[in-house]
Structures are given as structure tokens and as C-alpha cells.
Amino acid sequence: KNEVEQSPQNLTAQEGEFITINCSYSVGISALHWLQQHPGGGIVSLFMLSSGKKKHGRLIATINIQEKHSSLHITASHPRDSAVYICAIGGSQGNLIFGKGTKLSVKP
Amino acid sequence: GAVVSQHPSRVICKSGTSVKIECRSLDFQATTMFWYRQFPKQSLMLMATSNEGSKATYEQGVEKDKFLINHASLTLSTLTVTSAHPEDSSFYICSASGITLALSSYNEQFFGPGTRLTVL
């Protein structure tokens, strides 16, 4: 079993829709990361969180440490949000352990 | 956030040649750099962890003599793929963290833009 499970794997939405991507993990963590990977491959760190909720623009990330679950929400989605969203948790060496990603496609 | 650059962004080489990929932290001192590899439609997998001034720690299954990592300064780490083969074709991405950027006991990581290697 993977340590980090994401759902859904693929998601297609219409512009303006509210989007939720889920992440479950199986080990204790100090922090969880949400990353965005664009088609060219570059990765941008969206959030690092260890409890509660963080908001940045139209993006909201929540985490429930007891349930080992995190969600990434996108409000008023836009085609430019189309990317792969990756959940990652910290490994023992400070490295990250990645989920397989959720490919989001937002149609105009 | 802090900026990490990688060079080159894309490289095509012949089988048997060596390729060097540079990862630089532009505006902070990176005490630790991580090298990841991503095959198509796969998640990123850690190859090795390098701390400035010491030997890299390689993940199981990653050949240290094939993937040479040097982290000689606080702003530069290099990954050299020696005697490259077509199966080494992949997307290589580095990330960097530094103690000056720690927001908690967990160091935030900043990613380079990646290098796409194609071995013919």
C-alpha cells in the first residue's frame, strides 16, 4: 500500500466549478505539502501545513491529523488551474514522499 | 519563496555519454538538496539526498557509481548521469532546503524546474 493516496486520479471540470482533491496518508507526519506540476514539468509548492487550514487566493488546503487526511480545494476554477496536483508527506531524511498526483483539466 | 534553478532544462545525448545536471539555489543557502526522478505518468521518486560537504545518501536501487552527486557548496549540487542508457531517459528534478528557511521542525523545500533527459 502506498503511503500517500490521492483521489481522484483524473478530474475534469467546467470553468467556475468548485474542485476538491483528496489525500490520505498512512504514517504520522509533521507536515503535508500540496504541490502543483505544470505540463512542462516544473513544480510549485502551494502549501505546507501541519494543522487546520490555509488559504491562498482561490486555493484552500485543510488537514485533519487524526484522520490522516487532507483536501485541496479550488474555488471558481479556471482553465489556467489545469495541472497535476500532488500531495506529499515528509520522509525520515527530510525528503518528500509523493502521491501519484491528480490530473486536473478545467474546460472553458 | 526561494528560487532554485536547474541547467540544462532539456538535454538529448547519445547512449554511453555522460550528462551533468546543475541545481542552484539562487537566493538562499541550501544545506540539503534532493534529487528526484520522474518517469512518464509516475510520481516523483527520491534518488538521493545530498548535504553540503558530505557524501550523498542514495536510495535503494539507485547506483551511486552511475548517478554521481556532488554538493560542494551551499548553492550548487550536480547530478552526473554516467554512461547514459535509453532507460535513463526521464525527468530529473532537484529540490533544496536550508535551515534559514525553516518554519517549523520541517524544512520547506523549493523545487527546480527540472531537466528532461533523452538518451538515444
Side-chain angles (χ1 to χ4, degrees):
Chain A
K1 186 181 187 296
N2 292 332
E3 290 177 286
V4 184
E5 297 276 359
Q6 279 186 245
S7 63
Q9 283 188 309
N10 293 282
L11 182 56
T12 300
Q14 285 297 127
E15 183 173 356
E17 286 184 2
F18 180 83
I19 288 162
T20 296
I21 300 170
N22 295 300
C23 176
S24 297
Y25 52 93
S26 56
V27 296
I29 63 169
S30 298
L32 179 143
H33 301 249
W34 281 103
L35 311 166
Q36 180 190 54
Q37 186 172 29
H38 283 283
I43 290 179
V44 174
S45 180
L46 299 175
F47 295 104
M48 182 179 75
L49 67 165
S50 56
S51 65
K53 173 179 168 179
K54 284 189 175 180
K55 185 175 188 292
H56 182 70
R58 294 180 294 107
L59 302 177
I60 303 167
T62 63
I63 188 169
N64 184 317
I65 296 292
Q66 287 74 31
E67 295 185 3
K68 295 186 170 61
H69 181 269
S70 176
S71 293
L72 176 68
H73 306 285
I74 304 175
T75 61
S77 60
H78 191 277
R80 64 174 175 267
D81 296 326
S82 299
V84 175
Y85 292 84
I86 303 170
C87 172
I89 61 174
S92 59
Q93 303 175 73
N95 60 297
L96 295 178
I97 300 170
F98 299 87
K100 291 188 176 180
T102 295
K103 186 175 181 180
L104 172 65
S105 178
V106 182
K107 306 291 186 187
Chain B
V3 179
V4 175
S5 70
Q6 265 184 257
H7 178 80
S9 59
R10 188 180 295 267
V11 58
I12 300 172
C13 68
K14 291 183 179 179
S15 185
T17 60
S18 293
V19 175
K20 180 186 280 190
I21 302 170
E22 293 186 348
C23 177
R24 292 183 186 272
S25 59
L26 298 185
D27 51 4
F28 70 102
Q29 293 182 326
T31 50
T32 305
M33 286 187 172
F34 303 93
W35 285 97
Y36 298 94
R37 179 168 53 182
Q38 185 180 37
F39 292 107
K41 298 187 179 180
Q42 301 284 320
S43 58
L44 287 90
M45 296 296 292
L46 179 68
M47 297 177 67
T49 302
S50 79
N51 293 296
E52 185 266 338
S54 60
K55 289 184 179 179
T57 302
Y58 290 81
E59 293 299 295
Q60 194 172 11
V62 178
E63 299 174 58
K64 62 180 180 181
D65 294 329
K66 180 170 180 62
F67 298 99
L68 302 178
I69 292 172
N70 183 283
H71 190 171
S73 79
L74 286 170
T75 59
L76 173 65
S77 177
T78 60
L79 167 67
T80 302
V81 183
T82 62
S83 188
H85 286 274
E87 57 264 31
D88 298 325
S89 298
S90 187
F91 185 67
Y92 293 86
I93 193 164
C94 72
S95 71
S97 66
I99 57 174
T100 56
L101 300 174
L103 300 178
S104 63
S105 59
Y106 229 86
N107 290 328
E108 188 168 358
Q109 288 190 34
F110 299 94
F111 289 86
T115 297
R116 191 162 299 281
L117 170 64
T118 302
V119 184
L120 304 176

